């Protein structure tokens, strides 16, 4: 098993059945997902010039490598569009900076979650809402990039609710 490559899971079922299977394995947040087929992941990889096995960061608490391919899998599951992928890569790099102390965020009893702030021309290009209701519904970029980040924290970093993420109350920002 190569820790930098994703495992393939052969499933011949409906999207709903795949979503249920992923939920049963602890890979989702309880909401439906987009199945990360080879075709969908390959398409997402078109959003970067980095190689699929390039390690973007090591995500606490597990310290597992977040490769471009693994980030693409989580981005697809969250419903990200191709043009959002560079923002997810940058967000993972930023969140895993040693000064952020992501291990403490991932394994606390406090209901905290990382906040991603995006600036520059890309925010207009991907229609990232930075005005009224910025934390509310109705903005695909905001919702899916945040959700993909949560999947990365759980699926790569191991911040599993209960055994590792010990938040006593949780909060909606842990969805997106």
């Amino acid at each position: 098993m190569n820790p930098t490559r994703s495992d393939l899971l052969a499933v011949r079922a409906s999207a709903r059945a795949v979503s249920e299977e992923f939920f049963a394995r602890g890979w989702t947040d309880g909401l439906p997902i987009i199945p990360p087929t080879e075709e969908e992941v390959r398409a997402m990889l078109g959003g970067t010039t980095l190689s699929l096995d390039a390690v973007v960061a090591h995500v606490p608490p597990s310290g597992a490598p977040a490769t471009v391919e693994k980030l693409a899998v989580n981005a697809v599951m969250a419903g990200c569009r191709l043009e959002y992928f560079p923002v997810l890569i940058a967000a993972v790099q930023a969140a895993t900076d040693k000064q952020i102390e992501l291990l403490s965020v991932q394994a606390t009893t406090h209901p905290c979650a990382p906040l991603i702030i995006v600036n520059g021309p890309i925010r207009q290009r991907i229609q990232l809402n930075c005005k009224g209701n910025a934390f509310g519904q109705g903005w695909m970029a905001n919702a899916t990039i945040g959700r993909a980040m949560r999947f990365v924290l759980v699926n790569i970093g191991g911040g599993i609710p209960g055994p590792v993420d010990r938040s006593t109350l949780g909060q909606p920002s842990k969805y997106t």
Side-chain angles (χ1 to χ4, degrees), residues 1-6 52-72 74 92 96 152 155-158:
M1 178 195 235
N2 183 342
T4 62
R5 292 299 307 271
S6 298
L52 67 107
D53 58 351
V55 176
V56 170
H58 289 83
V59 185
S62 72
T67 63
V68 172
E69 179 191 37
K70 289 182 179 188
L71 295 180
N74 287 279
V92 170
T96 55
V152 167
N155 295 331
I156 300 173

Side-chain angles (χ1 to χ4, degrees), residues 134-174:
F135 297 130
Q137 76 287 0
W139 302 96
M140 185 181 286
N142 297 53
T144 60
I145 293 167
R147 187 176 189 211
M149 175 61 98
R150 175 56 50 193
F151 286 164
V152 167
L153 296 176
V154 172
N155 295 331
I156 300 173
I160 300 163
V164 177
D165 177 348
R166 305 292 291 177
S167 177
T168 53
L169 297 175
Q171 66 162 308
S173 67
K174 289 194 172 199

Side-chain angles (χ1 to χ4, degrees), residues 65-115:
T67 63
V68 172
E69 179 191 37
K70 289 182 179 188
L71 295 180
V73 167
N74 287 279
V76 168
M77 288 172 48
C80 286
R81 290 181 174 163
L82 170 72
E83 57 267 26
Y84 306 165
F85 194 46
V87 175
L88 176 63
I89 292 170
V92 170
Q93 289 172 325
T96 55
D97 183 287
K98 299 273 187 246
Q99 293 179 342
I100 300 298
E101 306 250 355
L102 187 57
L103 173 61
S104 298
V105 173
Q106 286 271 72
T108 183
T109 57
H110 191 277
C112 60
L115 171 65

Side-chain angles (χ1 to χ4, degrees), residues 34-46 72-73 76 80 82:
I34 305 295
T37 64
E38 288 183 76
E39 179 182 14
E40 291 284 342
V41 172
R42 198 173 319 110
M44 187 63 67
L45 290 168
V73 167
V76 168
C80 286
L82 170 72

